[in-house]
């Protein structure tokens, strides 16, 4: 299913809130460092930060890439990139405003050594993006990305099977249903992008699956509240104004302990364009 990767993101309020969250809390920087380490950039000359947003992953790439490497941050939301240009100033980094599916139209003719995509692949036309990555990767180049556990249908062992108290999301749903009559979020139990689908799409694109891993992020309630305060992530996701969403979030958060930790799971995927056989 094709997702609209731009909806809600090309908005100054969202971009500012997202950038503030990424610089205050470790979620995006930690996952970016993990993905970039798996990309093995030691000898890379050109690296793409796909769906790069305000540059959290580009910053991690720049920290590990060789001094003469070129980094391209490609994203479809000008507002996100405007924030990134303001806060991340490095001559090795260039910004390209384009959809992920159009990657091949903006990559250098001689190709790229790695493509990294943090927290966004599910929002794209996945087969089209994988085909575009295949077109631009040099032989031996790596494509590294992650998929949220709910979308991938995976759970890390650290995640409790039976939560001891309602999650912030559950509390939000209850308050919204009580005060506004909103229906509960749909939960059909079918993951949108499981590993079987990922593997199938990679194979169809001509890429080889190298490694998979299920990782965990330990997130406090305070961090979770900050994430849900970003307009594009606010809940419930339709029918209410942002002000109403924030009032519900505040009431739900008041019923939690700020230092309580929740565990979110992620499927991490490493693929590669194989070297031609001699």
């Amino acid at each position: 299913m094709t997702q609209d990767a731009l909806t809600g993101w090309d908005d100054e309020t969202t971009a500012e809130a997202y950038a503030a969250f990424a610089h205050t809390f470790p979620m995006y920087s930690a996952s970016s460092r993990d993905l970039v380490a798996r990309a093995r950039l030691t000898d890379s000359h050109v690296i793409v930060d796909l769906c790069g947003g305000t540059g959290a992953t580009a910053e991690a790439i720049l920290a590990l890439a060789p001094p003469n490497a070129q980094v391209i941050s490609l994203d479809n939301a000008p507002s996100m990139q405007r924030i990134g240009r303001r806060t991340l100033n490095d001559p090795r980094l260039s910004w390209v405003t384009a959809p992920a599916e159009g990657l091949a139209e903006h990559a250098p003719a001689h190709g790229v050594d790695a493509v990294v995509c943090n927290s966004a692949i599910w929002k794209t036309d996945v087969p089209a993006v994988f085909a575009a990555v295949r077109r631009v990767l040099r032989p031996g180049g790596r494509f590294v990305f992650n998929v949220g556990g709910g979308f991938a249908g995976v759970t890390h062992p650290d995640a409790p099977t039976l939560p001891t108290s309602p999650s912030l999301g559950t509390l939000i749903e209850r308050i919204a249903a009580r005060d506004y009559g909103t229906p509960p979020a749909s939960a059909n139990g079918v993951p949108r992008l499981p590993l079987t689908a990922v593997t199938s799409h990679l194979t169809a694109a001509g890429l080889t699956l190298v490694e998979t891993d299920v990782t965990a992020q330990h997130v406090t309630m305070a961090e979770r509240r900050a994430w849900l305060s970003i307009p594009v992530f606010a809940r419930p996701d339709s029918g209410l104004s942002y002000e109403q969403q924030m009032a519900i979030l505040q009431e739900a958060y008041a019923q939690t302990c700020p230092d309580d930790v929740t565990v979110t799971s992620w499927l991490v995927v490493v693929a590669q364009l194989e070297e031609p056989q001699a």
Side-chain angles (χ1 to χ4, degrees):
M1 178 179 3
T2 301
Q3 303 295 325
D4 183 352
L6 185 58
T7 301
W9 288 101
D10 191 24
D11 174 86
E12 294 295 336
T13 303
T14 288
E16 293 280 4
Y18 178 90
F21 176 89
H23 282 89
T24 304
F25 296 98
M27 187 177 86
Y28 288 112
S29 58
S31 56
S32 292
R33 287 193 299 271
D34 175 61
L35 295 180
V36 172
R38 296 173 192 263
R40 297 183 180 177
L41 303 181
T42 305
D43 298 318
S44 296
H45 299 286
V46 184
I47 306 112
V48 174
D49 171 21
L50 194 63
C51 305
T54 59
T57 303
E59 188 170 6
I61 292 172
L62 290 165
L64 287 183
N68 62 341
Q70 176 190 2
V71 180
I72 302 168
S73 185
L74 185 144
D75 195 274
N76 205 23
S79 293
M80 297 288 282
Q81 290 196 326
R82 277 194 290 273
I83 303 296
R85 291 172 187 270
R86 230 171 41 218
T87 58
L88 190 56
N89 184 19
D90 190 302
R92 296 176 293 165
L93 175 62
S94 59
W95 302 85
V96 175
T97 306
E101 295 81 0
L103 167 63
E105 301 168 20
H106 300 279
H110 49 78
V112 307
D113 299 293
V115 178
V116 181
C117 183
N118 188 2
S119 308
I121 203 71
W122 65 271
K123 296 187 294 183
T124 69
D125 180 338
V126 174
V129 169
F130 285 8
V133 171
R134 166 64 179 81
R135 287 176 60 190
V136 304
L137 267 185
R138 294 172 182 160
R142 287 198 158 197
F143 176 31
V144 186
F145 59 93
N146 55 11
V147 183
F151 293 114
V154 299
T155 304
H156 190 272
D158 284 357
T161 55
L162 294 174
T164 56
S165 58
S167 68
L168 195 53
T170 297
L171 291 169
I172 287 171
E173 282 193 26
R174 290 177 183 175
I175 296 168
R178 182 197 69 198
D179 294 349
Y180 299 95
T182 60
S186 173
N188 58 19
V190 179
R192 293 167 64 176
L193 194 58
L195 180 57
T196 52
V198 168
T199 303
S200 176
H201 293 320
L202 288 171
T203 301
L207 295 166
T208 301
L209 181 65
V210 174
E211 170 192 350
T212 65
D213 193 10
V214 178
T215 63
Q217 289 196 354
H218 297 73
V219 180
T220 65
M221 285 291 179
E223 182 173 355
R224 184 70 177 164
R225 178 183 68 163
W227 188 79
L228 288 168
S229 297
I230 300 171
V232 76
F233 296 135
R235 297 291 181 268
D237 58 4
S238 63
L240 299 178
S241 69
Y242 180 68
E243 289 72 21
Q244 290 170 323
Q245 291 170 325
M246 290 303 96
I248 293 170
L249 174 60
Q250 185 58 33
E251 182 176 345
Y253 180 70
Q255 298 178 36
T256 70
C257 177
D259 294 328
D260 282 351
V261 173
T262 61
V263 178
T264 59
S265 305
W266 293 83
L267 172 65
V268 177
V269 178
V270 180
Q272 184 169 293
L273 178 60
E274 294 291 356
E275 299 271 6
Q277 294 185 351

